[in-house]
Amino acid sequence: SQQGEEDPQALSIQEGENATMNCSYKTSINNLQWYRQNSGRGLVHLILIRSNEREKHSGRLRVTLDTSKKSSSLLITASRAADTASYFCATDEGYQKVTFGIGTKLQVIP
Amino acid sequence: ETGVTQTPRHLVMGMTNKKSLKCEQHLGHNAMYWYKQSAKKPLELMFVYNFKEQTENNSVPSRFSPECPNSSHLFLHLHTLQPEDSALYLCASSHVQGGPGNTIYFGEGSWLTVV
């Protein structure tokens, strides 16, 4: 069953702008992860944030987690055309139960 | 290169055929997964293996038959599939849950078309 739900489902921005994607989930989690998928390829892990963390950075990526609202956001700053991909949040409920959402399709226009 | 290799990358098969998808991981992980990705649907977890033992079968039809001969190899045997089984099948691996986070490493996927 689907746990994480990304919003928006599609996002189109100009190169250099920031892109924000949101994820909402329903049950308690151990951690939340964000993955990226280029068209027709496998998913690549971007960042993991634990349930006791509120914010995490990795390069141009910033992830926040609000466990009281059961939501997370992924911010990509100074976007590039190469950031064009689908982005998925994945919730880890433990016992290898990692559940993915439908994803946000990001298009960065050069 | 993610350390998880899937073959074939593309497969077209008839509904009466029998074929197999193969996955190999070079990461020293002891958990392996099969996921199904269809258009406009969430990624669906199909099977999980820990130390070669199946620990999750997510109500997958019996026309999909997994096999895990060792911690590095995973197969998905396919027989009498339906057109709606056409999808991208992703293999993945990870360390067994118990650490601070279960990062999953995916292969590039096998595109399956059932005609």
Side-chain angles (χ1 to χ4, degrees), chain B residues 45-82:
Chain B
L45 177 63
M46 299 174 72
F47 301 103
V48 180
Y49 278 82
N50 284 317
F51 297 100
K52 305 187 298 177
E53 298 297 321
Q54 188 179 122
T55 55
E56 179 99 12
N57 177 338
N58 214 14
S59 303
V60 180
S62 60
R63 57 186 185 268
F64 295 93
S65 174
E67 179 190 358
C68 188
N70 54 59
S71 293
S72 298
H73 293 86
L74 185 65
F75 296 89
L76 188 62
H77 303 301
L78 315 167
H79 61 99
T80 59
L81 294 191
Q82 304 297 312

mmCIF file of all heavy atoms in Angstrom, chain B residues 45-82:
data_model
loop_
_atom_site.group_PDB
_atom_site.id
_atom_site.type_symbol
_atom_site.label_atom_id
_atom_site.label_comp_id
_atom_site.label_asym_id
_atom_site.label_seq_id
_atom_site.Cartn_x
_atom_site.Cartn_y
_atom_site.Cartn_z
ATOM 1 N N LEU B 45 6.505 -3.119 -4.074
ATOM 2 C CA LEU B 45 7.427 -4.141 -3.582
ATOM 3 C C LEU B 45 6.816 -5.505 -3.845
ATOM 4 O O LEU B 45 5.673 -5.763 -3.471
ATOM 5 C CB LEU B 45 7.659 -3.951 -2.079
ATOM 6 C CG LEU B 45 8.551 -4.981 -1.401
ATOM 7 C CD1 LEU B 45 9.956 -4.954 -1.961
ATOM 8 C CD2 LEU B 45 8.579 -4.738 0.112
ATOM 9 N N MET B 46 7.584 -6.383 -4.509
ATOM 10 C CA MET B 46 7.076 -7.717 -4.833
ATOM 11 C C MET B 46 7.614 -8.756 -3.850
ATOM 12 O O MET B 46 6.851 -9.472 -3.216
ATOM 13 C CB MET B 46 7.480 -8.100 -6.252
ATOM 14 C CG MET B 46 6.943 -7.176 -7.332
ATOM 15 S SD MET B 46 7.598 -7.588 -8.955
ATOM 16 C CE MET B 46 6.723 -9.125 -9.311
ATOM 17 N N PHE B 47 8.934 -8.836 -3.751
ATOM 18 C CA PHE B 47 9.566 -9.867 -2.925
ATOM 19 C C PHE B 47 10.772 -9.288 -2.197
ATOM 20 O O PHE B 47 11.450 -8.397 -2.700
ATOM 21 C CB PHE B 47 10.060 -11.040 -3.791
ATOM 22 C CG PHE B 47 8.997 -11.723 -4.596
ATOM 23 C CD1 PHE B 47 8.882 -11.483 -5.955
ATOM 24 C CD2 PHE B 47 8.117 -12.620 -3.986
ATOM 25 C CE1 PHE B 47 7.905 -12.114 -6.722
ATOM 26 C CE2 PHE B 47 7.142 -13.259 -4.739
ATOM 27 C CZ PHE B 47 7.025 -12.998 -6.099
ATOM 28 N N VAL B 48 11.030 -9.846 -1.003
ATOM 29 C CA VAL B 48 12.225 -9.506 -0.243
ATOM 30 C C VAL B 48 12.908 -10.795 0.180
ATOM 31 O O VAL B 48 12.237 -11.730 0.635
ATOM 32 C CB VAL B 48 11.894 -8.678 1.021
ATOM 33 C CG1 VAL B 48 13.172 -8.338 1.785
ATOM 34 C CG2 VAL B 48 11.141 -7.415 0.660
ATOM 35 N N TYR B 49 14.219 -10.838 0.036
ATOM 36 C CA TYR B 49 15.016 -11.965 0.510
ATOM 37 C C TYR B 49 16.071 -11.447 1.478
ATOM 38 O O TYR B 49 16.745 -10.463 1.203
ATOM 39 C CB TYR B 49 15.721 -12.666 -0.664
ATOM 40 C CG TYR B 49 14.846 -13.646 -1.396
ATOM 41 C CD1 TYR B 49 13.948 -13.218 -2.359
ATOM 42 C CD2 TYR B 49 14.904 -15.000 -1.101
ATOM 43 C CE1 TYR B 49 13.133 -14.114 -3.019
ATOM 44 C CE2 TYR B 49 14.103 -15.914 -1.764
ATOM 45 C CZ TYR B 49 13.210 -15.455 -2.716
ATOM 46 O OH TYR B 49 12.404 -16.353 -3.372
ATOM 47 N N ASN B 50 16.182 -12.122 2.616
ATOM 48 C CA ASN B 50 17.243 -11.849 3.583
ATOM 49 C C ASN B 50 18.072 -13.112 3.717
ATOM 50 O O ASN B 50 17.534 -14.161 4.066
ATOM 51 C CB ASN B 50 16.662 -11.502 4.958
ATOM 52 C CG ASN B 50 16.108 -10.109 4.994
ATOM 53 O OD1 ASN B 50 16.715 -9.192 4.475
ATOM 54 N ND2 ASN B 50 14.960 -9.947 5.618
ATOM 55 N N PHE B 51 19.381 -12.995 3.502
ATOM 56 C CA PHE B 51 20.246 -14.156 3.621
ATOM 57 C C PHE B 51 19.651 -15.356 2.877
ATOM 58 O O PHE B 51 19.580 -16.470 3.410
ATOM 59 C CB PHE B 51 20.481 -14.525 5.098
ATOM 60 C CG PHE B 51 21.182 -13.467 5.875
ATOM 61 C CD1 PHE B 51 20.465 -12.611 6.693
ATOM 62 C CD2 PHE B 51 22.558 -13.320 5.803
ATOM 63 C CE1 PHE B 51 21.118 -11.620 7.415
ATOM 64 C CE2 PHE B 51 23.217 -12.335 6.520
ATOM 65 C CZ PHE B 51 22.484 -11.489 7.334
ATOM 66 N N LYS B 52 19.202 -15.129 1.662
ATOM 67 C CA LYS B 52 18.652 -16.137 0.741
ATOM 68 C C LYS B 52 17.249 -16.619 1.128
ATOM 69 O O LYS B 52 16.663 -17.415 0.409
ATOM 70 C CB LYS B 52 19.568 -17.369 0.632
ATOM 71 C CG LYS B 52 20.989 -17.101 0.249
ATOM 72 C CD LYS B 52 21.744 -18.393 0.015
ATOM 73 C CE LYS B 52 21.796 -19.232 1.267
ATOM 74 N NZ LYS B 52 22.466 -20.538 1.030
ATOM 75 N N GLU B 53 16.719 -16.182 2.233
ATOM 76 C CA GLU B 53 15.391 -16.638 2.641
ATOM 77 C C GLU B 53 14.346 -15.569 2.293
ATOM 78 O O GLU B 53 14.537 -14.386 2.596
ATOM 79 C CB GLU B 53 15.359 -16.899 4.150
ATOM 80 C CG GLU B 53 16.317 -17.988 4.618
ATOM 81 C CD GLU B 53 15.991 -19.330 4.027
ATOM 82 O OE1 GLU B 53 14.781 -19.649 3.906
ATOM 83 O OE2 GLU B 53 16.929 -20.079 3.672
ATOM 84 N N GLN B 54 13.236 -16.016 1.711
ATOM 85 C CA GLN B 54 12.185 -15.065 1.360
ATOM 86 C C GLN B 54 11.477 -14.595 2.615
ATOM 87 O O GLN B 54 10.979 -15.421 3.396
ATOM 88 C CB GLN B 54 11.178 -15.720 0.404
ATOM 89 C CG GLN B 54 10.161 -14.733 -0.151
ATOM 90 C CD GLN B 54 9.181 -15.392 -1.112
ATOM 91 O OE1 GLN B 54 7.985 -15.352 -0.899
ATOM 92 N NE2 GLN B 54 9.666 -16.003 -2.166
ATOM 93 N N THR B 55 11.427 -13.308 2.821
ATOM 94 C CA THR B 55 10.782 -12.761 4.010
ATOM 95 C C THR B 55 9.560 -11.923 3.683
ATOM 96 O O THR B 55 8.833 -11.502 4.571
ATOM 97 C CB THR B 55 11.772 -11.887 4.805
ATOM 98 O OG1 THR B 55 12.293 -10.874 3.928
ATOM 99 C CG2 THR B 55 12.906 -12.717 5.360
ATOM 100 N N GLU B 56 9.344 -11.664 2.410
ATOM 101 C CA GLU B 56 8.173 -10.877 2.027
ATOM 102 C C GLU B 56 7.707 -11.326 0.651
ATOM 103 O O GLU B 56 8.502 -11.467 -0.269
ATOM 104 C CB GLU B 56 8.528 -9.392 1.980
ATOM 105 C CG GLU B 56 7.393 -8.465 1.567
ATOM 106 C CD GLU B 56 6.719 -7.795 2.741
ATOM 107 O OE1 GLU B 56 7.258 -7.852 3.848
ATOM 108 O OE2 GLU B 56 5.634 -7.224 2.553
ATOM 109 N N ASN B 57 6.420 -11.601 0.561
ATOM 110 C CA ASN B 57 5.773 -11.863 -0.715
ATOM 111 C C ASN B 57 4.515 -11.026 -0.688
ATOM 112 O O ASN B 57 3.556 -11.341 0.021
ATOM 113 C CB ASN B 57 5.445 -13.352 -0.868
ATOM 114 C CG ASN B 57 4.706 -13.649 -2.161
ATOM 115 O OD1 ASN B 57 4.079 -12.779 -2.764
ATOM 116 N ND2 ASN B 57 4.764 -14.889 -2.592
ATOM 117 N N ASN B 58 4.528 -9.953 -1.435
ATOM 118 C CA ASN B 58 3.481 -8.953 -1.317
ATOM 119 C C ASN B 58 2.280 -9.311 -2.193
ATOM 120 O O ASN B 58 1.904 -8.549 -3.074
ATOM 121 C CB ASN B 58 4.052 -7.594 -1.715
ATOM 122 C CG ASN B 58 3.433 -6.466 -0.925
ATOM 123 O OD1 ASN B 58 2.771 -6.690 0.076
ATOM 124 N ND2 ASN B 58 3.651 -5.248 -1.371
ATOM 125 N N SER B 59 1.702 -10.480 -1.932
ATOM 126 C CA SER B 59 0.512 -10.934 -2.680
ATOM 127 C C SER B 59 0.752 -10.929 -4.183
ATOM 128 O O SER B 59 -0.089 -10.481 -4.961
ATOM 129 C CB SER B 59 -0.697 -10.041 -2.356
ATOM 130 O OG SER B 59 -0.962 -10.032 -0.995
ATOM 131 N N VAL B 60 1.903 -11.410 -4.565
ATOM 132 C CA VAL B 60 2.257 -11.427 -5.988
ATOM 133 C C VAL B 60 1.683 -12.690 -6.639
ATOM 134 O O VAL B 60 1.787 -13.778 -6.059
ATOM 135 C CB VAL B 60 3.786 -11.407 -6.154
ATOM 136 C CG1 VAL B 60 4.169 -11.416 -7.623
ATOM 137 C CG2 VAL B 60 4.381 -10.181 -5.471
ATOM 138 N N PRO B 61 1.104 -12.570 -7.844
ATOM 139 C CA PRO B 61 0.560 -13.762 -8.524
ATOM 140 C C PRO B 61 1.632 -14.820 -8.748
ATOM 141 O O PRO B 61 2.813 -14.493 -8.958
ATOM 142 C CB PRO B 61 0.044 -13.195 -9.855
ATOM 143 C CG PRO B 61 -0.171 -11.754 -9.618
ATOM 144 C CD PRO B 61 0.842 -11.335 -8.595
ATOM 145 N N SER B 62 1.206 -16.072 -8.766
ATOM 146 C CA SER B 62 2.160 -17.175 -8.862
ATOM 147 C C SER B 62 2.847 -17.248 -10.221
ATOM 148 O O SER B 62 3.820 -17.997 -10.373
ATOM 149 C CB SER B 62 1.452 -18.501 -8.573
ATOM 150 O OG SER B 62 0.407 -18.702 -9.510
ATOM 151 N N ARG B 63 2.396 -16.488 -11.196
ATOM 152 C CA ARG B 63 3.083 -16.478 -12.491
ATOM 153 C C ARG B 63 4.444 -15.774 -12.391
ATOM 154 O O ARG B 63 5.243 -15.823 -13.316
ATOM 155 C CB ARG B 63 2.209 -15.827 -13.570
ATOM 156 C CG ARG B 63 1.754 -14.415 -13.282
ATOM 157 C CD ARG B 63 0.773 -13.966 -14.366
ATOM 158 N NE ARG B 63 0.376 -12.580 -14.213
ATOM 159 C CZ ARG B 63 -0.696 -12.188 -13.533
ATOM 160 N NH1 ARG B 63 -1.453 -13.102 -12.921
ATOM 161 N NH2 ARG B 63 -1.010 -10.913 -13.443
ATOM 162 N N PHE B 64 4.691 -15.120 -11.251
ATOM 163 C CA PHE B 64 6.006 -14.572 -10.930
ATOM 164 C C PHE B 64 6.624 -15.464 -9.855
ATOM 165 O O PHE B 64 6.049 -15.608 -8.762
ATOM 166 C CB PHE B 64 5.894 -13.149 -10.388
ATOM 167 C CG PHE B 64 5.381 -12.163 -11.384
ATOM 168 C CD1 PHE B 64 4.021 -11.885 -11.459
ATOM 169 C CD2 PHE B 64 6.246 -11.493 -12.237
ATOM 170 C CE1 PHE B 64 3.540 -10.971 -12.386
ATOM 171 C CE2 PHE B 64 5.775 -10.578 -13.160
ATOM 172 C CZ PHE B 64 4.419 -10.308 -13.232
ATOM 173 N N SER B 65 7.784 -16.023 -10.141
ATOM 174 C CA SER B 65 8.404 -16.951 -9.215
ATOM 175 C C SER B 65 9.840 -16.519 -8.941
ATOM 176 O O SER B 65 10.693 -16.600 -9.826
ATOM 177 C CB SER B 65 8.374 -18.366 -9.820
ATOM 178 O OG SER B 65 9.088 -19.258 -9.020
ATOM 179 N N PRO B 66 10.139 -16.050 -7.731
ATOM 180 C CA PRO B 66 11.503 -15.605 -7.447
ATOM 181 C C PRO B 66 12.397 -16.766 -7.032
ATOM 182 O O PRO B 66 11.925 -17.802 -6.569
ATOM 183 C CB PRO B 66 11.296 -14.647 -6.276
ATOM 184 C CG PRO B 66 10.118 -15.213 -5.546
ATOM 185 C CD PRO B 66 9.243 -15.854 -6.582
ATOM 186 N N GLU B 67 13.695 -16.544 -7.203
ATOM 187 C CA GLU B 67 14.685 -17.526 -6.765
ATOM 188 C C GLU B 67 15.917 -16.775 -6.308
ATOM 189 O O GLU B 67 16.399 -15.871 -6.992
ATOM 190 C CB GLU B 67 15.061 -18.473 -7.915
ATOM 191 C CG GLU B 67 16.104 -19.513 -7.527
ATOM 192 C CD GLU B 67 16.652 -20.277 -8.721
ATOM 193 O OE1 GLU B 67 16.194 -20.037 -9.855
ATOM 194 O OE2 GLU B 67 17.553 -21.086 -8.511
ATOM 195 N N CYS B 68 16.425 -17.154 -5.142
ATOM 196 C CA CYS B 68 17.608 -16.489 -4.600
ATOM 197 C C CYS B 68 18.612 -17.559 -4.173
ATOM 198 O O CYS B 68 18.586 -18.010 -3.026
ATOM 199 C CB CYS B 68 17.215 -15.606 -3.409
ATOM 200 S SG CYS B 68 18.534 -14.556 -2.808
ATOM 201 N N PRO B 69 19.494 -17.957 -5.077
ATOM 202 C CA PRO B 69 20.426 -19.052 -4.764
ATOM 203 C C PRO B 69 21.502 -18.657 -3.762
ATOM 204 O O PRO B 69 22.026 -19.522 -3.055
ATOM 205 C CB PRO B 69 21.047 -19.386 -6.126
ATOM 206 C CG PRO B 69 20.890 -18.131 -6.932
ATOM 207 C CD PRO B 69 19.624 -17.479 -6.454
ATOM 208 N N ASN B 70 21.834 -17.378 -3.694
ATOM 209 C CA ASN B 70 22.802 -16.885 -2.702
ATOM 210 C C ASN B 70 22.566 -15.393 -2.506
ATOM 211 O O ASN B 70 21.733 -14.798 -3.201
ATOM 212 C CB ASN B 70 24.241 -17.168 -3.147
ATOM 213 C CG ASN B 70 24.530 -16.624 -4.521
ATOM 214 O OD1 ASN B 70 24.414 -15.417 -4.751
ATOM 215 N ND2 ASN B 70 24.883 -17.506 -5.461
ATOM 216 N N SER B 71 23.274 -14.790 -1.592
ATOM 217 C CA SER B 71 22.999 -13.391 -1.239
ATOM 218 C C SER B 71 23.331 -12.419 -2.355
ATOM 219 O O SER B 71 22.949 -11.251 -2.284
ATOM 220 C CB SER B 71 23.788 -13.007 0.016
ATOM 221 O OG SER B 71 23.310 -13.706 1.127
ATOM 222 N N SER B 72 24.040 -12.865 -3.389
ATOM 223 C CA SER B 72 24.451 -11.949 -4.455
ATOM 224 C C SER B 72 23.582 -12.043 -5.704
ATOM 225 O O SER B 72 23.680 -11.184 -6.572
ATOM 226 C CB SER B 72 25.901 -12.238 -4.876
ATOM 227 O OG SER B 72 26.774 -12.040 -3.798
ATOM 228 N N HIS B 73 22.779 -13.080 -5.797
ATOM 229 C CA HIS B 73 22.018 -13.311 -7.021
ATOM 230 C C HIS B 73 20.530 -13.460 -6.726
ATOM 231 O O HIS B 73 20.133 -14.083 -5.746
ATOM 232 C CB HIS B 73 22.512 -14.575 -7.742
ATOM 233 C CG HIS B 73 23.894 -14.443 -8.286
ATOM 234 N ND1 HIS B 73 25.014 -14.717 -7.510
ATOM 235 C CD2 HIS B 73 24.350 -14.043 -9.494
ATOM 236 C CE1 HIS B 73 26.094 -14.507 -8.245
ATOM 237 N NE2 HIS B 73 25.731 -14.098 -9.446
ATOM 238 N N LEU B 74 19.746 -12.908 -7.629
ATOM 239 C CA LEU B 74 18.294 -12.981 -7.502
ATOM 240 C C LEU B 74 17.714 -13.126 -8.907
ATOM 241 O O LEU B 74 18.131 -12.446 -9.838
ATOM 242 C CB LEU B 74 17.756 -11.710 -6.836
ATOM 243 C CG LEU B 74 16.271 -11.653 -6.509
ATOM 244 C CD1 LEU B 74 15.907 -12.700 -5.459
ATOM 245 C CD2 LEU B 74 15.897 -10.260 -6.005
ATOM 246 N N PHE B 75 16.760 -14.023 -9.027
ATOM 247 C CA PHE B 75 16.091 -14.235 -10.307
ATOM 248 C C PHE B 75 14.599 -13.992 -10.141
ATOM 249 O O PHE B 75 14.039 -14.146 -9.044
ATOM 250 C CB PHE B 75 16.309 -15.677 -10.803
ATOM 251 C CG PHE B 75 17.729 -16.012 -11.107
ATOM 252 C CD1 PHE B 75 18.565 -16.519 -10.109
ATOM 253 C CD2 PHE B 75 18.250 -15.846 -12.375
ATOM 254 C CE1 PHE B 75 19.894 -16.839 -10.383
ATOM 255 C CE2 PHE B 75 19.568 -16.171 -12.662
ATOM 256 C CZ PHE B 75 20.387 -16.663 -11.663
ATOM 257 N N LEU B 76 13.970 -13.650 -11.248
ATOM 258 C CA LEU B 76 12.510 -13.595 -11.281
ATOM 259 C C LEU B 76 12.073 -14.394 -12.502
ATOM 260 O O LEU B 76 12.305 -13.989 -13.638
ATOM 261 C CB LEU B 76 12.003 -12.148 -11.367
ATOM 262 C CG LEU B 76 10.500 -11.959 -11.224
ATOM 263 C CD1 LEU B 76 10.026 -12.430 -9.843
ATOM 264 C CD2 LEU B 76 10.097 -10.502 -11.444
ATOM 265 N N HIS B 77 11.503 -15.568 -12.240
ATOM 266 C CA HIS B 77 11.045 -16.437 -13.324
ATOM 267 C C HIS B 77 9.626 -16.048 -13.710
ATOM 268 O O HIS B 77 8.774 -15.838 -12.831
ATOM 269 C CB HIS B 77 11.104 -17.899 -12.877
ATOM 270 C CG HIS B 77 12.469 -18.332 -12.437
ATOM 271 N ND1 HIS B 77 13.573 -18.278 -13.265
ATOM 272 C CD2 HIS B 77 12.914 -18.810 -11.244
ATOM 273 C CE1 HIS B 77 14.646 -18.710 -12.613
ATOM 274 N NE2 HIS B 77 14.272 -19.039 -11.372
ATOM 275 N N LEU B 78 9.412 -15.940 -15.001
ATOM 276 C CA LEU B 78 8.144 -15.434 -15.530
ATOM 277 C C LEU B 78 7.489 -16.503 -16.411
ATOM 278 O O LEU B 78 8.153 -17.084 -17.266
ATOM 279 C CB LEU B 78 8.405 -14.189 -16.381
ATOM 280 C CG LEU B 78 9.370 -13.148 -15.796
ATOM 281 C CD1 LEU B 78 9.773 -12.144 -16.871
ATOM 282 C CD2 LEU B 78 8.755 -12.460 -14.601
ATOM 283 N N HIS B 79 6.216 -16.750 -16.194
ATOM 284 C CA HIS B 79 5.517 -17.688 -17.081
ATOM 285 C C HIS B 79 4.041 -17.351 -17.145
ATOM 286 O O HIS B 79 3.430 -16.960 -16.158
ATOM 287 C CB HIS B 79 5.748 -19.133 -16.615
ATOM 288 C CG HIS B 79 5.231 -19.419 -15.240
ATOM 289 N ND1 HIS B 79 4.026 -20.039 -14.995
ATOM 290 C CD2 HIS B 79 5.759 -19.162 -14.028
ATOM 291 C CE1 HIS B 79 3.853 -20.157 -13.689
ATOM 292 N NE2 HIS B 79 4.881 -19.642 -13.087
ATOM 293 N N THR B 80 3.488 -17.532 -18.322
ATOM 294 C CA THR B 80 2.082 -17.221 -18.639
ATOM 295 C C THR B 80 1.681 -15.858 -18.112
ATOM 296 O O THR B 80 0.709 -15.693 -17.361
ATOM 297 C CB THR B 80 1.121 -18.308 -18.101
ATOM 298 O OG1 THR B 80 1.258 -18.430 -16.680
ATOM 299 C CG2 THR B 80 1.398 -19.628 -18.761
ATOM 300 N N LEU B 81 2.463 -14.849 -18.490
ATOM 301 C CA LEU B 81 2.162 -13.488 -18.039
ATOM 302 C C LEU B 81 1.016 -12.884 -18.839
ATOM 303 O O LEU B 81 0.634 -13.387 -19.895
ATOM 304 C CB LEU B 81 3.403 -12.607 -18.177
ATOM 305 C CG LEU B 81 4.591 -12.954 -17.290
ATOM 306 C CD1 LEU B 81 5.626 -11.837 -17.344
ATOM 307 C CD2 LEU B 81 4.171 -13.217 -15.852
ATOM 308 N N GLN B 82 0.499 -11.786 -18.312
ATOM 309 C CA GLN B 82 -0.583 -11.052 -18.941
ATOM 310 C C GLN B 82 -0.054 -9.705 -19.448
ATOM 311 O O GLN B 82 0.939 -9.197 -18.920
ATOM 312 C CB GLN B 82 -1.702 -10.799 -17.918
ATOM 313 C CG GLN B 82 -2.227 -12.071 -17.266
ATOM 314 C CD GLN B 82 -2.854 -13.001 -18.279
ATOM 315 O OE1 GLN B 82 -3.660 -12.573 -19.095
ATOM 316 N NE2 GLN B 82 -2.466 -14.264 -18.244
#
